Amino acid sequence: MGDPGGLAMSPDLLAALGAAPPPDPAPDASPGSHWLQVALAERGVSRRRFLGFATAMTALLALPASMTPQIVNALETKKKPTVVWLEFQDCAGNTESMLRSDHPAIADIVLEAISLEYHETIMAGAGKAAEAQLAKIVASGEPYVVIVEGSIPTAENGIYCTIGGKTALQILKEVAGPAALVIAVGACAWDGGFPRLGPTGAVGVGDVIGSKALINLGGCPHNAANTAATLVHYLTFGKAPELDSYNRPLFAYGHLIHDQCERRANFDAGRFVEHWGDEGHRNGWCLYKMGCKGPQATYNCPIVRWNGGTSWPIGAGHGCIACASPRFWERMSPFYDRLPGVKMFGVDVDAQTIGLAAVGFVSVATAVHAGTVVARRARAGRATVAPDGTVIPETPSTPAAPSDGSGTSA
Ligand code: SF4
Ligand code: F3S
């Protein structure tokens, strides 16, 4: 983003979140005794940008705008909480997601500046000094937050992942036990993720420590904006945000991707991508027929997005693989197969077999458009129309890799 201050959320994101513009700027805070003032000043972040961040966090948490001052007050006055980041059996994608979030100040202010005192992957300390630091935090008696990335191998007493001579299983129990709050980030920490399919007996954090004081931020990887918002909520209100039955915050996992998708009008109108790189793909049509799992997946990625709020998998031209859904590696694959039985228009019409009659149910204009498209495809030998008006797709093809390199952001 080219912004060393980096605290701003993009104007698009603020607008998408329905956030009001930040209040008029007051004079910039000069370095003072409070940790946040120091952190802001060190990074050259103005108070206006800080207020913009607090406003965006309020909107992201789905709180009324009137609560922004409470969040500002908490960030400006509360004691700096200690955060410990544990990484176990995974690809480090969640650390990468945090470090490359393009909202650098979210990582800086809400994690590093808040006191990220232990992070196995990125901390400068190593060896016994690092282990001593972790032991000191655990024994301190002070409240601290644990963020866990990666699955926990349990087979053969957990020997498949050891750090400093201890298994991940041991470390998690020792460190998470006394913690005030545990946040599992990413699919692996949530439910074992991809390693669950291997020989290590990988499980999620909740399988080891139970669900008390646990927040699951699923996703492959998680979105750093949601981690920041969760920490801001904890700092402001002293508790977790409202959670669903999987211990996931409702503000981030409460809505279907399909209902927030910018391509939804194309789904409703029967305009589907049929091949990677075809006319529909180039025109941003619906990716349902290419295997998009958006109709069964929940997450706020269409709003929060990735890469500085610029894009997300579907926006980049790739279907959703439901990476924030439970056991998505098993339940949502093959990723390029169509979800069965997705109904359209609130009637008993299957999107996979949408025909002219179904399109006509919505509007004559849509039917004419769809008919034109179908006829054109039929002429091109890519589709035919049955007597009842049902579109018979072209011969099923072997799923091909997307041609535009999309989907790499998540
Ligand atoms: Fe968007 Fe996928 Fe739903 Fe199509 S099927 S509208 S691409 S979420
Ligand atoms: Fe994941 Fe689907 Fe969003 S793959 S990042 S939940 S679009």
Side-chain angles (χ1 to χ4, degrees):
M1 302 283 283
D3 176 5
L7 193 55
M9 292 238 176
S10 73
D12 285 351
L13 176 57
L14 278 169
L17 291 168
D24 285 334
D28 283 1
S30 51
S33 57
H34 188 261
W35 64 269
L36 184 67
Q37 287 176 309
V38 174
L40 294 175
E42 281 177 351
R43 291 162 179 78
V45 176
S46 71
R47 181 162 175 76
R48 181 189 182 101
R49 295 169 81 78
F50 166 63
L51 293 175
F53 167 72
T55 303
M57 283 291 110
T58 309
L60 181 55
L61 287 164
L63 296 171
S66 60
M67 298 193 100
T68 300
Q70 200 173 336
I71 287 178
V72 170
N73 183 56
L75 288 171
E76 288 186 329
T77 60
K78 294 263 174 95
K79 186 171 178 288
K80 180 178 178 177
T82 298
V83 176
V84 168
W85 186 299
L86 300 176
E87 180 172 358
F88 298 134
Q89 187 176 236
D90 75 323
C91 67
N94 293 284
T95 293
E96 287 288 339
S97 179
M98 181 66 74
L99 295 176
R100 318 267 178 241
S101 69
D102 255 3
H103 289 309
I106 288 180
D108 281 358
I109 304 298
V110 181
L111 282 175
E112 180 194 330
I114 260 181
S115 192
L116 185 52
E117 295 199 11
Y118 183 90
H119 188 308
E120 281 138 3
T121 315
I122 61 173
M123 67 192 296
K128 293 203 181 307
E131 301 314 314
Q133 172 69 1
L134 182 58
K136 189 173 151 201
I137 295 166
V138 173
S140 69
E142 295 290 320
Y144 61 91
V145 175
V146 180
I147 297 178
V148 185
E149 170 181 13
S151 63
I152 301 95
T154 59
E156 300 183 55
N157 294 320
I159 58 164
Y160 291 100
C161 180
T162 61
I163 301 164
K166 289 184 179 175
T167 65
L169 201 54
Q170 276 178 287
I171 296 170
L172 178 62
K173 286 177 182 170
E174 285 175 14
V175 177
L181 182 68
V182 181
I183 304 175
V185 294
C188 298
W190 173 18
D191 60 17
F194 192 72
R196 225 182 76 82
L197 305 175
T200 64
V203 299
V205 173
D207 296 316
V208 176
I209 65 164
S211 58
K212 192 165 167 270
L214 173 66
I215 297 176
N216 286 315
L217 296 180
C220 195
H222 82 303
N223 192 304
N226 291 330
T227 310
T230 301
L231 285 169
V232 166
H233 190 284
Y234 172 71
L235 197 61
T236 305
F237 305 105
K239 62 179 184 181
E242 197 177 348
L243 305 176
D244 67 10
S245 58
Y246 292 107
N247 278 38
R248 303 178 305 175
L250 281 171
F251 76 80
Y253 301 89
H255 300 285
L256 274 180
I257 284 171
H258 194 51
D259 291 342
Q260 308 169 81
C261 180
E262 63 217 22
R263 300 185 186 224
R264 177 59 186 266
N266 289 301
F267 176 91
D268 289 344
R271 292 189 289 264
F272 297 104
V273 176
E274 305 281 351
H275 297 281
W276 298 117
D278 69 5
E279 180 190 4
H281 199 209
R282 292 194 298 277
N283 288 327
W285 289 2
C286 174
L287 294 155
Y288 166 73
K289 290 190 174 182
M290 307 309 288
C292 180
K293 307 296 187 288
Q296 283 187 6
T298 64
Y299 206 13
N300 61 354
C301 52
I303 305 299
V304 175
R305 302 186 170 215
W306 304 84
N307 300 332
T310 57
S311 192
W312 62 303
I314 289 175
H318 192 283
C320 170
I321 61 171
C323 76
S325 298
R327 297 190 181 174
F328 80 98
W329 289 103
E330 297 144 82
R331 295 177 180 171
M332 294 296 177
S333 59
F335 294 137
Y336 295 99
D337 281 5
R338 296 172 193 175
L339 275 177
V342 175
K343 301 293 187 282
M344 300 185 72
F345 315 133
V347 297
D348 191 23
V349 176
D350 191 303
Q352 191 164 333
T353 54
I354 177 177
L356 295 180
V359 178
F361 181 87
V362 179
S363 75
V364 172
T366 305
V368 169
H369 176 84
T372 305
V373 171
V374 168
R376 193 162 60 236
R377 287 187 183 139
R379 279 200 302 276
R382 286 183 284 158
T384 54
V385 185
D388 66 355
T390 301
V391 174
I392 302 172
E394 68 287 354
T395 306
S397 56
T398 304
S403 60
D404 61 357
S406 57
T408 55
S409 58

